[in-house]
Each structure stands twice: as C-alpha cells, then as structure tokens.
Amino acid sequence: MAEELILSTKNSSKEEVYISLTPQIKALIEGEEDLVANLANVAAALKEAFDFFWVGFYIVKNNQLVLGPFQGPIACTRIGYGKGVCGTSWKENKTIIVDDVNEFPGHIACSSLSQSEIVVPIARNNEVVAVLDVDSDKLSQFDEVDQKYLSQIVEYINF
Ligand code: SME
C-alpha cells in the first residue's frame, strides 16, 4: 500500500475519521512482522489523523512499562505496575479515560500541557503486554468512540 493516509478531516466527525483510518492502519501493519515498525506507524497514523498532543506505546518489560515508539514531546521512560494512568490500566487490564488528569490520583505528568488522556491496555492470552497512551492538551477529549476504535486498532498489532 502507498505510504500515505487518505483522511477527509473537513467536516468529518471523530467517528468518521476513525472509520476511514482503521482499515488503513490494518493494511499498513498486516504485511509487516516487525513490532517496532508497526508500533511506530500506528503512533504516526494516529498523530497525523487527530493531531493528538502525545500518542505512543509503553511495553511491559521486566515488570515495568518501558517507553516504546511514540509521537510527541519526550516522555517518562519507565512506569511501575499500578502507577499513574498507564500503570493502572496495565494492573486492571482496563481502558481508562481521564477527563482531567489533575483529578486522577497518582497521574504521572510527563508534560504539564497534558490535560486529558486515554490508556488502552493491549493483552495477549489474557496478559497485558503493552498499553497505548493518548494525551490531549485539552480537557475531556476522549470518550467511548476513541475507546472503541483504539481497542480495535491495537488488536491488529502482532505482539
Ligand atoms: N500520564 C501517564 C504517563 C505517560 S505520559 O503521559 C506520556 C500516566 O499517568 O501514566
């Protein structure tokens, strides 16, 4: 496939963008077995489509989350089990949507500009192997539409 996303963002709802983006991400990564390459392209595709403040992956390594491919400002490299939004999503194997990160006890502020966040756990054989973290510099930017499509997108990734 061409290394170019086709996105009609003008007057499109968030869901319409996800509907056009999701199969393109699937096509982009299904022919490639390298994990880093695929995580990098998924982060880039989401950044390009939605201009999120920060989008990237933390990968479970030696009982910590370690920063993986991402798009956005530099970020914390390691997060403990149960720590912050990412570590809580890992522990609970549950998507977490935070409307206002200042209200989330234990939130890890990699950037003071980050205002809201969604973290989607990626589980294989019932074990969390990574999380997808998306941050916005605006409050309340994430909802069940993001949860639905981001959960679908991470399923395509071959861990
Ligand atoms: N805010 C996250 C840490 C990761 S950065 O936002 C990229 C957390 O509380 O887990």
Side-chain angles (χ1 to χ4, degrees):
M1 105 169 230
E3 265 63 74
E4 192 182 329
L5 296 173
I6 298 157
L7 299 165
S8 57
T9 42
K10 252 194 187 163
N11 303 320
S12 299
S13 68
K14 176 165 76 174
E15 182 151 31
E16 285 168 337
V17 177
Y18 274 118
I19 288 169
S20 94
L21 179 69
T22 303
Q24 294 184 70
I25 290 183
K26 183 171 187 274
L28 187 63
I29 65 178
E30 71 186 352
E32 175 54 61
E33 63 178 27
D34 187 87
L35 179 62
V36 171
N38 286 334
L39 296 179
N41 259 343
V42 172
L46 290 169
K47 174 79 173 171
E48 185 177 334
F50 296 105
D51 198 24
F52 291 131
F53 176 70
W54 195 94
V55 50
F57 295 90
Y58 281 90
I59 301 164
V60 176
K61 290 182 184 172
N62 297 325
N63 214 34
Q64 280 189 316
L65 287 173
V66 182
L67 183 62
F70 70 95
Q71 296 269 318
I74 59 166
C76 328
T77 53
R78 289 173 188 270
I79 296 173
Y81 185 71
K83 302 291 180 195
V85 188
C86 291
T88 305
S89 171
W90 172 23
K91 186 176 174 183
E92 296 180 1
N93 190 3
K94 203 178 88 184
T95 293
I96 301 181
I97 294 171
V98 183
D99 288 333
D100 180 351
V101 297
N102 299 303
E103 304 287 323
F104 188 94
H107 169 257
I108 299 165
C110 292
S111 164
S112 58
L113 295 175
S114 181
Q115 298 288 312
S116 58
E117 176 164 5
I118 181 170
V119 180
V120 179
I122 306 171
R124 298 291 178 262
N125 303 318
N126 281 325
E127 198 175 313
V128 176
V129 292
V131 300
L132 169 62
D133 179 15
V134 186
D135 292 15
S136 172
D137 57 4
K138 298 179 197 75
L139 293 167
S140 306
Q141 286 301 292
F142 304 105
D143 56 25
E144 64 287 345
V145 172
D146 301 279
Q147 176 169 359
K148 174 180 172 186
Y149 290 96
L150 295 176
S151 302
Q152 203 173 312
I153 287 166
V154 298
E155 278 311 304
Y156 300 141
I157 302 168
N158 214 349
F159 270 85

